[in-house]
Amino acid sequence: MSQSSGGQIDTVMQEDRIFSPSEKFVSQAQIASLEASQQMWDDAHRDPIAFWDQFAKEELHWFEPYRQVLEWQEPFAKWFLGGKTNVAYNCIDAHLGTEREDKTAILWEGEPGDQRTLTYRELHEEVCRFANVLKHLGIVPGDVVSIYMPMVPELAIAMLACARVGAVHSVIFAGFSSEAIADRNQDAGAKLQLTADGGWRRGKNLPLKDTVDAALEKSSTVEKCVVLRRTGIQVSMQEGRDFWWHELMENASPDCPAEPMDSEAPLFILYTSGSTGKPKGIKHTTAGYNLYVKKTFEWVFDHRDDDVFWCTADCGWITGHSYIVYGPFSAGATCVMYEGAPNHPHEDRFWEIVEKHRVTIFYTAPTAIRAFIKWGDHHVEKHDLTSLRLLGTVGEGINPEAWIWYHKMIGAERCPIVDTWWQTETGGIMMSPLPGAISTKPGSCTKPLPGVMPVIVDEQGDLVASNNGGMLCIDHPWPGMLRGIWGDDERYREQYWSKVPGKYLTGDNARCDNDGYYWIMGRIDDVINVSGHRLSTIEVESALVSHPHVAEAAAIGRPDEIKGQAIAVFVTIKDVEASDELRGELKQHVRKEIGALAQPDDIRFTNALPKTRSGKIMRRLLRDIAEGKEKVGDTTTLEDYSVLANLREDEE
Ligand code: PRX
């Protein structure tokens, strides 16, 4: 049961199931035993510099060799100092002249059903031509290019073309508003805007160019705009500012050598939601990031040359940057890229794509998995998913019951699941099973990858004992780490390096069990404090999701005169109607699963939860609603505003 002490997080969850990879999987895996993974981990721990040095030499192309592996002046790291490389070169040119030259790089599926494939050679040509377009438009190394495009191959081409000429891209998810684009453009000092006329989403034609037009009125640094024709929707083109992609490409030469870039030259900025309204531009640089995403892709996804890899994220998020574009292409992988929604035209669209392209590795988010469960097994059963050999999740904790469903329904109990914990800031995966070596426990991201040194501390910065929850920090720089917040070193220091001296503060709580397995317990700010016991949101939510009629749940603390905080939960249900009887049953269920302390005080049924555009539950907004606040906090990252209105109507 729960243990408590100052500043620590209590754990009430008991999850004892453990799953080992099949003999068949292990016999073909690159890292195929616990001993092999331990050896890598020990090597990296003993001498991280030598560990990364060896990989950097072997895995990246160097126009000029580096002279020093790491310079660490906390909190600023520089990796591979003095070296010159190019990320687009490592992603594409490195495969030319090898057997991968004619291998498919992108298998693209448009929402309306159109399809395109690009081999590495074809991708090279497209990227070179668009790189020449960028140069023609006056882009030089260090310029910032803002990208607001749908999930079409040209989005990846644009990112790689920026990398090729040394421009810094800032990809903005094509669901954000014109204000959000303008804020980000201003903060980054973007010079050029790339967009499309429109994009498809659930059968609707999103007017992307119109949104960009409004954004550009408030983006004082943007001089020009390139527009891809995707949906054919009518757009207005401003003379002298706006250019059609296809017209510029017509005259562009396919010959464009990659620009040798300094190891620490910025590669991209990616904005994430901060606690204040000001956008927070996470900065990643060239060589360290490239190496980190390449190696973590190969290790975690056990990549083989005959794999068809599908990461369902959008390139507008870090997952898309690292595991649709830079990691997989550096490793010479074949990637599926899908433009649209998982339920268009029907709820089986993903499984149709898996079947059609014989996908072998499938990487998605828990929010999607919970939606599949709600939609029903019959959508899955219609399709042949026998090509799959490995499954992954990212973005939130996965509730153990959702994990089990994924394992059984999608993986047919054959595919290991890699629950990958990481952040925009970390650049690549930090904790995850190595699928041929590490047995999995549902709900745990298992162990740190080689070279990653997590520590869990209490409010005083002291290490907590095993199985106790505390703040998750990282102890040593790693090549993929953020290099700062764009234009705001002070905020970088303050946010990530001030609370726990000498360590990177992740902002998540976690516990490490007696087997050395890590369990992420949610964001530090989301902890619920009931009578002095600090409970994690995910444990209460997972207990609810293990009830057969619960599809999704969000737990929050609301003020309570006696207990400090009371537990309020918002629940979406399946197969039954909401009732007081069910409310009572759910309270009892949580009590039985994890104990009286965690029994919810209020249960509110809702048909949807407020989520960010990348699918994370926005508990902060739910707290505001539970407290009856008239005006809720920052909603700029909210995906669907109608959810808020419904929640208010449903108030008890
Ligand atoms: O709270 C953790 C959660 O997502 C946060 C990072 O979000 P973002 O920067 O948008 O990047 C998402 C894609 C890497 C983390 O601080 N998170 C991410 N993966 C997991 C997770 N929580 C639990 N388990 C995970 N596997």
Side-chain angles (χ1 to χ4, degrees):
M1 250 321 274
S2 71
Q3 306 157 13
S4 189
S5 71
Q8 297 182 0
I9 319 297
D10 297 337
T11 182
V12 285
M13 188 159 101
Q14 188 74 34
E15 175 56 66
D16 297 325
R17 288 169 287 192
I18 186 151
F19 295 81
S20 301
S22 68
E23 263 172 44
K24 180 162 179 239
F25 190 93
V26 174
S27 70
Q28 296 169 354
Q30 322 271 341
I31 306 169
S33 68
L34 194 56
E35 294 70 40
S37 74
Q38 189 64 42
Q39 184 65 50
M40 286 171 72
W41 208 91
D42 289 346
D43 289 349
H45 200 74
R46 196 177 318 111
D47 191 348
I49 302 296
F51 181 79
W52 291 116
D53 184 26
Q54 184 201 339
F55 284 122
K57 288 205 174 90
E58 288 166 4
E59 308 272 348
L60 300 182
H61 170 82
W62 293 99
F63 294 102
E64 273 176 42
Y66 52 90
R67 49 168 207 282
Q68 186 182 339
V69 176
L70 171 66
E71 180 194 282
W72 178 226
Q73 288 177 343
E74 192 200 307
F76 297 101
K78 291 183 181 162
W79 284 86
F80 312 116
L81 286 82
K84 290 209 187 308
T85 184
N86 183 289
V87 179
Y89 187 100
N90 293 320
C91 285
I92 316 174
D93 304 47
H95 308 303
L96 304 184
T98 76
E99 67 274 20
R100 287 179 179 151
E101 178 165 325
D102 293 313
K103 181 177 171 178
T104 301
I106 299 179
L107 258 173
W108 176 77
E109 184 83 19
E111 194 184 79
D114 40 349
Q115 190 186 316
R116 266 171 75 193
T117 59
L118 286 158
T119 64
Y120 274 94
R121 186 149 44 94
E122 289 162 341
L123 182 62
H124 179 256
E125 181 173 332
E126 292 289 307
V127 169
C128 286
R129 288 171 61 204
F130 197 68
N132 277 326
V133 167
L134 293 174
K135 286 185 179 175
H136 166 78
L137 294 172
I139 294 298
V140 296
D143 282 347
V144 176
V145 177
S146 167
I147 306 180
Y148 184 76
M149 291 175 73
M151 275 288 285
V152 290
E154 284 79 1
L155 171 51
I157 290 165
M159 292 165 72
L160 288 160
C162 287
R164 195 166 191 88
V165 303
V168 183
H169 58 68
S170 162
V171 183
I172 302 167
F173 174 66
F176 277 113
S177 64
S178 56
E179 286 78 31
I181 305 171
D183 284 350
R184 286 158 176 71
N185 284 352
Q186 286 297 94
D187 187 78
K191 192 167 159 189
L192 176 68
Q193 181 73 59
L194 310 179
T195 190
D197 52 356
W200 294 110
R201 190 78 190 171
R202 256 178 223 110
K204 284 209 197 86
N205 193 335
L206 302 181
L208 301 183
K209 175 63 164 59
D210 287 355
T211 308
V212 160
D213 283 340
L216 293 190
E217 281 174 22
K218 291 185 236 150
S219 306
S220 58
T221 55
V222 176
E223 295 163 8
K224 295 190 171 96
C225 175
V226 180
V227 187
L228 178 80
R229 185 171 281 152
R230 163 64 187 135
T231 58
I233 188 179
Q234 188 73 31
V235 295
S236 66
M237 298 289 279
Q238 188 175 311
E239 180 79 35
R241 185 193 74 181
D242 299 346
F243 304 86
W244 284 108
W245 176 295
H246 58 271
E247 287 178 5
L248 294 170
M249 285 290 263
E250 253 167 41
N251 306 317
S253 153
D255 182 23
C256 181
E259 185 76 29
M261 296 303 295
D262 190 272
S263 291
E264 281 300 332
L267 176 67
F268 65 84
I269 314 168
L270 188 55
Y271 285 89
T272 87
S273 50
S275 43
T276 67
K278 192 175 178 307
K280 184 168 72 170
I282 302 299
K283 178 169 78 175
H284 283 287
T285 60
T286 298
Y289 171 81
N290 195 170
L291 180 66
Y292 196 70
V293 295
K294 179 176 186 193
K295 290 318 295 174
T296 52
F297 173 75
E298 291 173 346
W299 291 337
V300 171
F301 298 107
D302 184 44
H303 175 250
R304 298 197 308 238
D305 251 314
D306 57 353
D307 276 319
V308 177
F309 177 76
W310 184 18
C311 165
T312 68
D314 189 286
C315 287
W317 314 121
I318 190 68
T319 309
H321 282 59
S322 301
Y323 300 109
I324 295 178
V325 180
Y326 294 119
F329 292 153
S330 299
T334 295
C335 286
V336 171
M337 204 174 160
Y338 171 55
E339 180 184 32
N343 53 354
H344 190 85
H346 302 294
E347 281 78 4
D348 65 340
R349 186 67 191 270
F350 274 16
W351 317 124
E352 186 186 286
I353 294 174
V354 168
E355 178 173 8
K356 178 170 168 190
H357 295 296
R358 305 293 297 156
V359 171
T360 60
I361 308 172
F362 179 74
Y363 187 35
T364 197
T367 181
I369 295 170
R370 292 188 303 256
F372 303 141
I373 297 173
K374 194 170 180 192
W375 293 337
D377 294 356
H378 56 288
H379 295 295
V380 183
E381 282 156 357
K382 270 191 247 163
H383 295 282
D384 173 7
L385 305 184
T386 51
S387 57
L388 290 170
R389 67 180 196 91
L390 180 61
L391 305 174
T393 70
V394 60
E396 280 183 298
I398 178 162
N399 313 110
E401 289 317 311
W403 194 103
I404 296 289
W405 181 91
Y406 197 32
H407 170 68
K408 288 194 175 148
M409 263 329 276
I410 308 303
E413 302 185 30
R414 172 186 77 241
C415 307
I417 297 179
V418 289
D419 174 350
T420 65
W421 176 84
W422 58 295
Q423 308 176 298
T424 304
E425 291 87 340
T426 67
I429 298 168
M430 300 292 275
M431 295 206 259
S432 165
L434 296 169
I438 312 269
S439 297
T440 48
K441 300 184 187 185
S444 165
C445 58
T446 75
K447 305 214 174 198
L449 294 185
V452 174
M453 300 172 204
V455 287
I456 300 176
V457 301
D458 62 18
E459 290 285 332
Q460 289 73 45
D462 297 325
L463 293 182
V464 302
S466 102
N467 236 355
N468 283 317
M471 295 184 290
L472 177 64
C473 299
I474 310 288
D475 202 6
H476 188 275
W478 65 100
M481 69 190 282
L482 77 166
R483 299 302 196 266
I485 294 177
W486 191 256
D488 201 343
D489 285 351
E490 213 24 65
R491 192 172 174 196
Y492 170 60
R493 237 183 246 283
E494 196 268 321
Q495 181 140 13
Y496 301 103
W497 298 91
S498 62
K499 190 157 182 168
V500 183
K503 295 178 177 58
Y504 166 78
L505 181 75
T506 66
D508 284 350
N509 285 317
R511 79 183 155 96
C512 180
D513 71 15
N514 295 329
D515 299 328
Y517 278 53
Y518 286 80
W519 300 77
I520 303 296
M521 300 172 89
R523 302 293 295 166
I524 291 174
D525 299 340
D526 290 339
V527 167
I528 307 174
N529 196 329
V530 182
S531 309
H533 295 274
R534 303 177 75 224
L535 300 175
S536 100
T537 50
I538 183 94
E539 296 193 345
V540 180
E541 291 160 8
S542 291
L544 284 159
V545 172
S546 73
H547 188 279
H549 293 316
V550 175
E552 255 188 330
I556 53 134
R558 65 152 173 79
D560 181 272
E561 273 182 18
I562 297 161
K563 295 193 278 188
Q565 282 190 321
I567 302 177
V569 298
F570 293 76
V571 174
T572 61
I573 49 179
K574 55 184 184 199
D575 309 329
V576 285
E577 294 289 313
S579 66
D580 280 341
E581 198 186 338
L582 181 62
R583 206 172 259 130
E585 193 179 314
L586 292 181
K587 285 185 185 175
Q588 280 310 314
H589 179 75
V590 175
R591 192 185 179 97
K592 183 169 92 344
E593 289 289 307
I594 56 177
L597 183 65
Q599 175 178 313
D601 296 272
D602 315 337
I603 295 186
R604 208 176 280 189
F605 296 113
T606 166
N607 52 10
L609 294 170
K611 296 196 181 158
T612 63
R613 288 161 213 264
S614 64
K616 290 190 213 300
I617 297 170
M618 293 180 82
R619 295 182 188 77
R620 185 173 48 75
L621 294 189
L622 292 172
R623 276 201 297 271
D624 289 349
I625 289 171
E627 286 177 27
K629 281 193 187 152
E630 265 306 299
K631 203 169 148 23
V632 296
D634 182 15
T635 53
T636 46
T637 55
L638 181 66
E639 208 224 351
D640 178 359
Y641 288 89
S642 64
V643 173
L644 273 191
N646 290 339
L647 279 168
R648 287 191 189 291
E649 278 170 22
D650 288 349
E651 276 173 37
E652 280 175 296

